[in-house]
Amino acid sequence: MKINAKVAATKDEWVQMAAETILSRAKQAISERGICSLVLSGGSTPAPVYTALARLGTEQNLDWEKMAVFWGDERCVPPTHPDSNYRMARETLLDHLPILPENVFRMMGELDPETAATDYEGVLNAFFHQREKRFDILLLGLGSDGHTASLFPGIDGLHETQRWVIPNRYPYSDTWRISLTYPAINQSRYIFFLVSGDAKAEVVANCMEHPQEPPPYPAKGVTGVDHPPVWLLDADAAKMIPISD
Ligand code: 6PG
């Protein structure tokens, strides 16, 4: 099975590789369409990549005013909460760049989940009103249970075919999330999984197994349309990948 993976020898090289990959696609999008729609992933893994992206983009004169920033998922907490994906991105990326405030599209985690999801659906419809409805770059993380964004094993949202944004319960505690769905994710022009560390090695290898229906790991439901997702890995996360047959 062909594995769409780029593997860096060390964590630091992985950070640089991921930032350069994102930057390259951002420049392409701006060149082709005058704007780049970038969907950020949450959790802790991407934080150093966002810091590197801010530095590298500025060094390479990326036109930040032509970047539109979205989120793939959000915890149902205020934007100032330590668990907020928006807060993590603001601290590592947005606060350091001249991105236009009107081009930062935050999921309103402080609202009730259904209202926040419906609100974000409307935000996306408005942004794509006179554009082809597909993100340019969509970043994803990977949980040890094979979840991505906030699409967790066994949730109804895995079967959503119409809505681009849904609320769903976080299965491991009495909390809620807002998440993009497979229709939104797979329509993206370029999808990148950002995964590092040996704690993710086993789940990465499991996700590389031949696709099965239904995907036992939600991340396996990420297929893309033009391009399959590319896995940006460090050697630790890649160490159990099956040798491609
Ligand atoms: C979130 C993310 C989620 C994350 C994985 C990995 O809101 O937590 O969107 O999908 O990417 O859970 O999280 P870590 O990077 O913290 O391991």
Side-chain angles (χ1 to χ4, degrees), residues 41-46 73 75 85 141-143 147-150 177 200:
S41 73
S44 57
T45 299
D73 72 323
R75 291 82 180 278
N85 288 336
L142 179 69
H147 81 260
T148 194
S150 280
R177 300 282 186 94
K200 300 287 177 71

Side-chain angles (χ1 to χ4, degrees), residues 65-89:
E65 294 192 353
K66 293 181 179 170
M67 292 294 291
V69 179
F70 303 81
W71 275 259
D73 72 323
E74 185 55 280
R75 291 82 180 278
C76 289
V77 294
T80 53
H81 192 282
D83 290 347
S84 166
N85 288 336
Y86 165 80
R87 173 174 162 177
M88 183 272 281

Side-chain angles (χ1 to χ4, degrees), residues 13-130:
E13 290 177 17
W14 170 79
V15 168
Q16 185 73 13
M17 170 185 73
E20 288 173 348
T21 301
I22 296 163
L23 186 57
S24 168
R25 291 302 181 193
K27 289 179 178 177
Q28 176 187 351
I30 291 171
S31 165
E32 292 174 356
R33 285 172 294 281
I35 192 166
C36 172
S37 52
L38 168 65
V39 180
L40 300 178
S41 73
S44 57
T45 299
V49 176
Y50 297 164
T51 300
L53 180 60
R55 173 179 48 77
L56 210 57
T58 303
E59 287 170 1
Q60 297 188 21
N61 301 311
L62 179 69
D63 189 345
W64 291 109
E65 294 192 353
K66 293 181 179 170
M67 292 294 291
V69 179
F70 303 81
W71 275 259
D73 72 323
E74 185 55 280
R75 291 82 180 278
C76 289
V77 294
T80 53
H81 192 282
D83 290 347
S84 166
N85 288 336
Y86 165 80
R87 173 174 162 177
M88 183 272 281
R90 182 179 58 71
E91 292 174 345
T92 56
L93 184 68
L94 305 179
D95 279 356
H96 311 281
L97 301 169
I99 294 178
L100 301 176
E102 60 265 33
N103 283 348
V104 177
F105 300 95
R106 177 175 71 85
M107 288 179 167
M108 311 288 267
E110 67 274 27
L111 302 180
D112 78 270
E114 180 56 48
T115 303
T118 303
D119 170 79
Y120 210 66
E121 191 94 33
V123 165
L124 298 185
N125 287 333
F127 178 82
F128 288 112
H129 173 57
Q130 293 185 325

